[in-house]
Amino acid sequence: MLIKKTIFALLFISFALFSRDYKKYSKSEFAMGTNLAVTFFSYDGKKNANKILAECFRLAGDLEKKVSCKNATSTIYKLNSVKKGDVSDDFTLELLKNSLYYAELTDGLFDPALYNVIELWGFESGENKIPEIKEILAALKSSGYKNVAIDGKTIVLSNGASLDLGGIAKGAIIGKIAEYLKSVGLKDFLINGGGDIVVGGLYAGQRKWRIAIANPFNQNETVGMVELTDCSVVTSGDYERYFISEDGIRYHHIIDPRTGTPANNGVHSATVIADSPVKADALSTALFVAGVKEGLELIKKTTGVKTIFISGNKEDFKLDYSDNISHTIRDGKYYFEVKE
Ligand code: ADP
Ligand code: MG
């Protein structure tokens, strides 16, 4: 009995020592126009971990500066003003190529050349205005991914079109942070850029990461969660950035490129789980615009994508998801499971 107890105590002590060494490090700060949080587990000491965390935020700031259409020194801002130019950095060029790829895949529901329309609504500037129909129609004429041509490193924007990569850039940036963490030998991490998430490995090296699915009707609540490893989860929702007009209508920041107005198909959030954050980000925006029926058809065009839609209203919300997801309900919360 004593031997058993001693063995148990020794095991417990060695486990405690072992797990104490594999520490959790975390930092959260405003970046990319949202709250960015980076968490990882590491055997490193605090000093080195803090250096790695600082580098993640430096990287986010640096990459955001390149692709933000608001930053007067960015490559995208310059392209928008002169309509033609060479892109010398690989990150921006790759992001532009990916943007066109996803625009084509989604038949333009994800559209990186909608800036002229988006600007009219004033979400970014905080002006929050409802544009006149004729303004929207005019802006639509000078919008659309078909006006973007990439030839080597040269980008040409025709018909006065301008770029806004807001629907895909965060995914690309958190993807780069994930690459950086892997390059310094870390494998158990979570990066969360305002609901755009990449997870690597396991929580504490022991169990899958638990990702909450937000309740679009109440941001302090979740509707459930999903356990994941080595993948990306991105949610586009109508609760992220919006304003409510005097007559009580909610206008949000995800625009249906077919109408130039906020997508209005009953969906309040579209979550995409995929193998890459760029894919998950572009497709979550496209699926939010597509709505449930069209969206579930759309993802059949690509592999490895899982999606959860939330529609309905606060009292009675409705969940729809792709065939590769199932759920159980415990204590009123949904536990989603992904099938490979
Ligand atoms: P969030 O930025 O809240 O995570 P999204 O990834 O869905 O949400 O991106 C929304 C942003 O993408 C908008 O703020 C705007 O800059 C841009 N955008 C809006 N509508 C579209 C669209 N149909 N296709 C591509 N980008 C869009
Ligand atoms: Mg997106």
Side-chain angles (χ1 to χ4, degrees):
M1 192 64 187
L2 187 66
I3 295 174
K4 249 191 191 170
K5 268 189 184 165
T6 316
I7 291 174
F8 181 76
L10 282 173
L11 274 175
F12 182 80
I13 291 166
S14 54
F15 178 74
L17 282 174
F18 176 75
S19 52
R20 199 173 333 125
D21 277 343
Y22 200 47
K23 275 199 198 126
K24 180 166 129 182
Y25 295 98
S26 195
K27 180 177 161 119
S28 139
E29 219 171 64
F30 189 79
M32 315 185 294
T34 186
N35 189 53
L36 171 66
V38 179
T39 301
F40 60 74
F41 285 87
S42 167
Y43 292 106
D44 281 343
K46 199 171 173 187
K47 203 167 153 211
N48 201 27
N50 281 345
K51 248 172 50 192
I52 294 171
L53 285 170
E55 175 58 15
C56 293
F57 284 80
R58 193 204 59 76
L59 200 58
D62 190 46
L63 297 176
E64 208 247 340
K65 253 191 235 152
K66 289 184 179 162
V67 296
S68 155
C69 55
K70 306 282 141 35
N71 188 317
T73 61
S74 82
T75 318
I76 300 301
Y77 187 97
K78 283 180 206 148
L79 276 175
N80 282 349
S81 30
V82 292
K83 307 296 179 202
K84 182 175 177 175
D86 286 352
V87 173
S88 56
D89 79 278
D90 292 345
F91 176 73
T92 309
L93 194 60
E94 196 189 325
L95 186 56
L96 283 164
K97 286 183 184 164
N98 274 324
S99 298
L100 287 193
Y101 173 80
Y102 287 106
E104 261 152 34
L105 184 80
T106 63
D107 259 334
L109 293 185
F110 168 83
D111 194 324
L114 269 188
Y115 181 73
N116 294 342
V117 179
I118 292 168
E119 195 193 14
L120 289 178
W121 292 88
F123 294 106
E124 287 292 334
S125 61
E127 280 170 276
N128 295 342
K129 51 192 182 189
I130 303 164
E132 307 241 337
I133 303 279
K134 61 173 192 293
E135 287 179 285
I136 294 177
L137 292 177
L140 278 174
K141 276 196 184 145
S142 67
S143 295
Y145 72 100
K146 291 197 169 140
N147 294 309
V148 185
I150 306 180
D151 181 9
K153 289 182 181 254
T154 309
I155 313 293
V156 180
L157 302 175
S158 339
N159 288 321
S162 290
L163 299 160
D164 178 342
L165 306 183
I168 192 170
K170 266 193 286 170
I173 295 172
I174 59 173
K176 285 287 168 201
I177 297 175
E179 270 176 32
Y180 164 69
L181 291 177
K182 284 186 203 157
S183 78
V184 293
L186 299 172
K187 63 176 181 38
D188 298 323
F189 56 80
L190 181 146
I191 305 157
N192 181 359
D196 285 30
I197 294 169
V198 187
V199 291
L202 301 169
Y203 181 92
Q206 289 168 355
R207 61 154 173 85
K208 288 184 181 177
W209 291 92
R210 292 177 184 146
I211 310 296
I213 306 293
N215 181 340
F217 307 105
N218 180 349
Q219 281 196 69
N220 300 321
E221 277 181 18
T222 62
V223 295
M225 65 121 172
V226 56
E227 293 194 357
L228 296 167
T229 181
D230 292 320
C231 68
S232 303
V233 194
V234 175
T235 300
S236 287
D238 64 0
Y239 53 91
E240 296 277 1
R241 226 172 300 158
Y242 64 90
F243 62 89
I244 305 213
S245 68
E246 278 167 14
D247 36 5
I249 300 172
R250 176 193 287 247
Y251 294 93
H252 61 79
H253 73 311
I254 304 174
I255 302 295
D256 186 333
R258 298 166 295 197
T259 61
T261 57
N264 182 17
N265 52 39
V267 167
H268 292 281
S269 77
T271 297
V272 171
I273 302 168
D275 47 10
S276 104
V278 169
K279 191 188 215 177
D281 198 1
L283 290 182
S284 73
T285 306
L287 292 188
F288 185 92
V289 176
V292 177
K293 198 162 167 271
E294 207 185 331
L296 290 176
E297 280 305 308
L298 186 64
I299 62 156
K300 291 185 184 156
K301 287 195 197 173
T302 176
T303 52
V305 173
K306 291 128 196 150
T307 181
I308 303 168
F309 291 98
I310 302 180
S311 45
N313 55 52
K314 195 173 181 176
E315 286 68 39
D316 185 20
F317 65 78
K318 185 168 176 289
L319 282 168
D320 288 278
Y321 44 78
S322 44
D323 299 341
N324 43 22
I325 290 189
S326 60
H327 80 255
T328 51
I329 300 179
R330 269 177 276 148
D331 300 329
K333 294 274 180 212
Y334 287 77
Y335 290 80
F336 299 101
E337 271 186 33
V338 295
K339 302 176 211 161
E340 290 317 317

